[in-house]
């Protein structure tokens, strides 16, 4: 029989809700694309860059094995690019027709037969309204080149037809040599998986700048079902837009009219970042869901003045500098963003002291735009022994120190270093972890014996579905490890101020929501977040002993006066457990059907636990996470 014995020492400063943070990385997985309402892939008709080796190594799979056979797969991972209909000559403009970004697609029909483009894999819902838009025209003849330039379009009033067919619905637009925006809205009568066809039969050249297909019930571009599930998971603070992506990111390219932005290659991970979700769209999602924004910004390939302009764009009044540009972009009131993270993995460029010196330059420039911002220094990429030197350089210009190791042994080595610096300098620096993943360790064998109990990612393409991150990260075992680590964070008290779970959506299992093309649901880890959202209050904590190897517990006292016990049973077997004195009741609890079990769009492997304390004892079900409260 296990027995929960609460230690006498309690944390002094309460742990807060910021430890339940999350992370969205643009250009990695199908995160942004899964949450955004745009249904067309590559809506600006660009040549899509290849996925880079960094992504395949993260997955452990090559392109041939990245398909519906993978355990994490759902329709949200499908990427169906445009296919050519007929035999048109295809090229992109250079210096002309710069309506969206810097180029448009030209399709030349030489013989008057039907040609165009199609895209498969659209998922339509019966009875739902959809909005289609396309910016298109016909290329006219060009005037003779001369000293005034290479010639101009000779415009004609003659109209040519472009036919658009989506599923069973069809319409036509009359195009001229003046490209313009055409719109179409309809209510879907059939539903199901469909394709879009853009076809024309006139001899000549079709100009395509961009297209868009969205459900009419989108929330400023965000999927309504995604917003609802994010409210349920309730991340407290969300990091954006990277990650490795941010070190090559120019924030200016992400603002303004989405239909004019240039799509961007995802430089680090490969593939195409559609660039429909920038700073303003992210901050709109923050307002819709109710989380605090945390912006990671580019230092490695940018300059302090550009970072200052970013802060000004976000936080200055509408009549000051870049605040006026924000106002012109439709956002009069300042956003008041407080949290800024100073790039990602800076050891790729700088030594520890070089990076600390750069932090000082950026911090002082950025605070000219807003003195109240809070800055996070990425110490994790360097040896912990170098932290005192980094703090000596940058400690008075930052508010947070980032380490990605969240285990108790490491944290209790770093906190005294930060405490000592605070004592000597009168500062109040906190420890944070802005990108964390649970352990993949399992104390008992998985149902599939081919799955390793101590999986370690090591950047290798094995094409072994039983031995990749994705199959571990979708599992209930992984979620229980995540609950355990969140309890660790609570146990550190307020000195550990914030944590961002990696990631939010559609990153092959390491996410809190799954967004298929038909629906959205919480992952196993998302269910853990949702339970904490229901029961957690800021609290002090005391560690416990349980006497059972696979049973973990944490005692807390909330600031409102409640006494709670969190319990994680990593074992598949139920554990008879003696509780501290008092009348305890089950406030909330979750139990998984199996160690490898995971959520899907049609079935749930998790049920609400109904274990009832009997006096000062409880049978803790196998593979469960409980919150008890003293009555």
């Amino acid at each position: 029989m296990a027995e929960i014995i609460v230690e006498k020492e309690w944390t002094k400063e309460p742990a807060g809700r910021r430890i339940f943070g999350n992370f969205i990385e643009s250009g990695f997985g199908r995160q942004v694309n899964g949450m955004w309402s745009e249904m067309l892939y590559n809506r600006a008709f660009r040549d899509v860059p290849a996925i880079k080796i960094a992504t395949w190594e993260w997955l452990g799979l090559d392109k041939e094995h990245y398909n519906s056979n993978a355990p994490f797969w759902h329709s949200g991972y499908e990427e169906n690019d445009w296919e050519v209909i007929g035999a048109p000559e295809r090229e992109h403009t250079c210096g002309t027709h710069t309506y969206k970004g810097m180029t448009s697609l030209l399709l030349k029909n030489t013989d008057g037969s039907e040609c165009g483009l199609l895209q498969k894999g659209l998922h339509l819902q019966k009875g739902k309204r959809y909005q289609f838009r396309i910016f298109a025209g016909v290329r006219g003849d060009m005037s003779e080149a001369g000293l005034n330039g290479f010639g101009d379009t000779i415009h004609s009033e003659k109209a040519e037809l472009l036919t658009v067919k989506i599923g069973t619905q069809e319409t036509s637009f009359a195009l001229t040599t003046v490209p313009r925006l055409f719109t179409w809205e309809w209510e879907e009568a059939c539903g199901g998986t469909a394709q879009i066809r853009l076809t024309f039969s006139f001899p000549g050249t079709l100009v395509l700048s961009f297209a868009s297909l969205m459900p009419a019930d989108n929330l400023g571009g965000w999927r309504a079902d995604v917003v609802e599930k994010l409210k349920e998971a309730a991340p407290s603070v969300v990091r954006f837009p990277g990650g490795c992506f941010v070190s090559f990111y120019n924030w200016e390219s992400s603002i303004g009219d989405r239909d004019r932005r240039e799509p961007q290659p995802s430089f680090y991970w490969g593939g195409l970042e559609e660039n429909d979700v920038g700073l303003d769209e992210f901050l709109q999602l923050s307002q819709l869901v109710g989380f605090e924004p945390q912006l990671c910004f580019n230092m490695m390939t940018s300059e302090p003045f550009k970072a200052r302009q970013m802060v000004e764009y976000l936080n200055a009044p509408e009549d000051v500098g870049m605040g006026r540009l924000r106002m012109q972009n439709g956002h009069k009131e300042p956003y008041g963003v407080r949290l800024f993270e100073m790039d990602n993995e800076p050891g790729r460029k700088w030594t520890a002291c070089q990076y600390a010196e750069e932090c000082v330059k950026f911090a002082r420039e950025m605070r000219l735009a807003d003195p109240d911002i809070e800055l996070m220094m990425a110490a994790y990429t360097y040896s912990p022994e170098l932290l005192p030197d980094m703090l000596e350089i940058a400690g008075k210009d930052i508010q947070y120190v980032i380490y990605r190791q969240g285990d108790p042994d490491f944290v209790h080595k770093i906190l005294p270093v930060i405490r000592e610096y605070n004592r000597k300098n009168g500062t109040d620096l906190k420890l944070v972890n802005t990108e964390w993943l649970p352990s993949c360790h399992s104390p008992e064998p998985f149902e599939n014996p081919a799955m390793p109990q101590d999986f370690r990612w090591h950047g290798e393409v094995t094409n072994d579905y039983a031995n990749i991150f994705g199959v571990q990260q979708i599992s209930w075992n992984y979620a229980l490890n995540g609950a355990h680590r969140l309890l660790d964070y609570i146990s550190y008290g307020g000195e550990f101020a914030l944590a961002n779970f990696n990631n939010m959506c559609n990153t092959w299992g390491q996410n809190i929501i799954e967004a298929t093309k038909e629906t959205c649901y919480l992952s196993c880890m998302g269910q853990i977040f949702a339970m904490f959202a229901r029961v957690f209050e800021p609290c002090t904590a005391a560690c416990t002993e349980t006497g059972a190897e696979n049973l973990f517990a944490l005692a807390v006292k909330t600031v409102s006066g409640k006494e709670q016990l969190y319990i994680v049973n990593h074992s598949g077997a139920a554990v008879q457990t003696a509780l501290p004195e008092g009348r305890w009741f089950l406030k909330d609890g979750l139990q998984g059907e199996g160690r490898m079990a995971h959520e899907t769009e049609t079935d749930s492997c998790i049920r609400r636990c109904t274990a009832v304390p009997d006096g000062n004892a409880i049978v803790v079900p196998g593979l469960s996470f409980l919150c008890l409260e003293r009555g």
Side-chain angles (χ1 to χ4, degrees):
M1 184 174 183
E3 182 180 8
I4 296 177
I5 301 174
V6 180
E7 296 181 359
K8 294 182 179 180
E9 186 174 348
W10 290 75
T11 53
K12 295 178 176 60
E13 187 178 348
R17 274 204 50 80
R18 274 181 169 180
I19 63 171
F20 301 105
N22 207 224
F23 171 32
I24 302 171
E25 180 162 13
S26 296
F28 182 58
R30 296 290 294 170
Q31 293 188 65
V32 170
N33 312 76
M35 297 187 289
W36 192 243
S37 287
E38 182 57 61
M39 298 170 65
L40 298 181
Y41 177 75
N42 185 17
R43 75 183 191 94
F45 308 104
R46 297 300 196 263
D47 293 328
V48 178
I51 298 298
K52 293 189 176 181
I53 187 61
T55 297
W56 299 123
E57 288 179 339
W58 185 263
L59 282 166
L61 302 174
D62 61 22
K63 186 176 181 180
E64 286 66 36
H65 290 80
Y66 182 67
N67 53 45
S68 59
N69 293 318
F72 55 76
W73 192 269
H74 54 64
S75 62
Y77 292 109
E78 296 172 0
E79 294 179 334
N80 298 296
D81 204 355
W82 297 100
E83 301 177 28
V84 173
I85 299 171
E89 296 178 8
R90 182 179 181 277
E91 65 174 316
H92 283 92
T93 63
C94 178
T96 66
H97 300 94
T98 54
Y99 306 109
K100 179 171 173 60
M102 295 181 288
T103 188
S104 290
L105 176 65
L106 303 180
L107 294 178
K108 185 176 182 179
N109 189 335
T110 58
D111 59 10
S113 59
E114 184 181 72
C115 63
L117 298 174
L118 70 83
Q119 187 172 121
K120 300 174 182 175
L122 302 181
H123 293 250
L124 303 174
Q125 296 181 30
K126 184 178 179 179
K128 196 160 194 169
R129 295 198 66 80
Y130 292 92
Q131 298 168 335
F132 175 76
R133 299 181 301 120
I134 189 166
F135 198 102
V138 177
R139 193 174 202 189
D141 295 331
M142 302 294 288
S143 64
E144 185 177 346
L147 293 178
N148 291 329
F150 287 96
D152 299 310
T153 301
I154 300 174
H155 290 292
S156 167
E157 295 297 322
K158 182 182 178 182
E160 304 285 4
L161 289 182
L162 172 68
T163 299
V164 179
K165 186 175 183 180
I166 303 176
T168 61
Q169 305 293 316
E170 184 175 312
T171 192
S172 294
F173 301 117
L175 311 184
T176 70
T177 55
V178 181
R180 68 181 183 87
L181 182 66
F182 299 88
T183 63
W184 173 34
E185 183 169 328
W186 80 97
E187 183 175 305
E188 175 59 24
C190 299
T193 304
Q195 62 178 235
I196 178 173
R197 295 173 63 90
L198 311 176
T199 57
F200 67 107
S201 300
F202 59 86
T205 301
L206 174 68
V207 179
L208 293 173
S209 177
F210 66 84
S212 175
L213 176 62
M214 285 188 172
D217 66 352
N218 72 81
L219 302 173
W222 295 101
R223 284 174 51 171
D225 58 346
V226 164
V227 170
E228 287 308 304
K229 283 301 173 185
L230 287 177
K231 287 180 178 178
E232 187 178 345
S236 54
V237 56
V238 176
R239 178 191 192 218
F240 177 84
C244 296
F245 178 86
V246 81
S247 302
F248 312 96
Y249 180 71
N250 293 316
W251 70 268
E252 307 99 307
S253 66
S254 78
I255 60 174
D257 185 350
R258 292 192 294 271
D259 289 337
R260 298 180 64 182
R261 297 179 199 164
E262 176 67 32
Q264 299 179 348
S266 180
F267 184 81
Y268 190 88
W269 300 108
L272 186 71
E273 170 49 51
E274 305 266 9
N275 202 22
D276 281 335
V277 174
L279 295 186
D280 292 305
E281 289 79 17
F282 168 68
L283 290 161
Q284 181 192 36
L285 181 65
S286 166
Q287 293 166 354
L288 287 169
V289 176
F291 60 75
E292 182 180 6
Q294 172 188 331
L295 290 175
C296 188
F297 62 90
N298 180 5
M299 293 170 61
M300 286 194 232
T301 60
S302 188
E303 299 292 337
F305 184 74
K306 290 179 70 174
R308 170 186 171 177
Q309 287 184 310
M310 176 186 66
V311 175
E312 197 171 75
Y313 180 84
L314 296 168
N315 292 353
E318 73 272 15
D319 58 350
V320 174
M322 298 297 286
R324 180 165 176 79
L325 179 58
R326 182 196 65 245
M327 182 268 291
Q328 292 174 342
N329 286 338
H331 307 277
K332 181 179 179 181
E333 296 301 319
Y335 289 115
V337 178
R338 298 269 71 84
L339 296 173
F340 291 88
E341 184 177 349
M342 308 182 87
D343 215 311
N344 179 76
E345 299 169 12
R348 288 179 281 149
K349 181 170 184 176
W350 294 302
T351 66
C353 289
Q354 286 174 333
Y355 169 64
E357 290 165 355
E358 291 295 317
C359 286
V360 172
K361 295 176 189 176
F362 274 80
R364 293 180 182 178
E365 186 71 22
M366 293 167 73
R367 286 204 170 96
L368 294 175
D370 185 345
D372 295 326
I373 61 173
E374 300 174 6
L375 292 163
M376 305 173 172
M377 182 177 73
Y380 55 83
T381 196
Y382 307 106
S383 168
E385 284 70 33
L386 296 174
L387 179 57
D389 295 334
M390 296 179 73
L391 292 178
E392 197 61 35
I393 296 169
K396 294 184 179 179
D397 290 279
I398 63 170
Q399 281 68 48
Y400 304 97
V401 176
I402 311 170
Y403 278 100
R404 290 184 179 172
Q405 300 94 319
D407 61 278
D409 287 345
F410 181 85
V411 169
H412 288 305
K413 289 178 183 177
I414 291 296
L415 283 177
V417 178
I418 296 175
R419 286 187 200 121
E420 180 62 13
Y421 179 84
N422 285 337
R423 186 189 67 80
K424 287 183 177 179
N425 293 276
T427 50
D428 189 28
L429 303 185
K430 307 284 189 184
L431 178 63
V432 298
N433 184 341
T434 62
E435 188 175 325
W436 71 274
L437 294 170
S439 164
C440 291
H441 172 73
S442 174
E444 298 168 356
F446 287 96
E447 293 86 345
N448 177 1
M451 282 183 61
Q453 289 179 236
D454 244 329
F455 176 84
R456 294 285 190 277
W457 180 80
H458 47 276
E460 180 183 0
V461 175
T462 64
N463 295 321
D464 177 2
Y465 291 135
N467 196 18
I468 59 172
F469 240 164
V471 73
Q472 295 275 351
Q473 292 174 316
I474 59 176
S475 73
W476 179 240
N477 179 77
Y478 186 76
L480 287 177
N481 289 342
H484 189 145
R485 183 45 46 87
L486 286 165
L487 293 176
D488 286 336
Y489 294 158
I490 295 172
S491 77
Y492 306 145
E495 290 181 298
F496 185 92
L498 176 150
N500 305 103
F501 174 70
N502 182 9
N503 296 96
M504 181 172 279
C505 179
N506 289 9
T507 33
W508 316 294
Q510 62 176 69
N511 40 261
I512 61 171
I513 63 169
E514 302 282 359
T516 75
K517 292 186 176 179
E518 302 90 350
T519 189
C520 180
Y521 58 95
L522 296 180
S523 67
C524 288
M525 194 62 195
Q527 295 280 7
I528 296 294
F529 265 73
M531 178 171 149
F532 272 115
R534 294 190 295 268
V535 301
F536 177 82
E537 296 179 28
C539 57
T540 56
C543 295
T544 69
E545 295 291 336
T546 68
E549 184 179 0
N550 297 324
L551 193 72
F552 176 79
L554 183 73
V556 305
K557 295 178 181 177
T558 72
V559 294
S560 65
K562 299 172 185 174
E563 296 183 42
Q564 296 175 331
L565 273 176
Y566 289 103
I567 304 173
V568 179
N569 185 1
H570 293 281
S571 171
V575 179
Q576 180 76 25
T577 305
L579 302 172
E581 289 292 327
R583 296 178 59 188
W584 296 92
F585 67 93
L586 178 67
K587 188 172 180 67
D588 208 339
L590 300 173
Q591 183 178 9
E593 292 178 356
R595 198 169 292 281
M596 281 181 63
H598 66 278
E599 301 290 85
T600 70
E601 59 188 301
T602 56
D603 297 298
S604 177
C605 71
I606 302 166
R607 61 181 181 270
R608 296 291 281 271
C609 187
T610 57
V612 178
D614 182 9
N616 288 335
I618 188 173
V619 177
V620 181
L623 302 177
S624 67
F625 172 44
L626 309 181
C627 176
L628 306 182
E629 190 166 298
R630 198 194 301 264

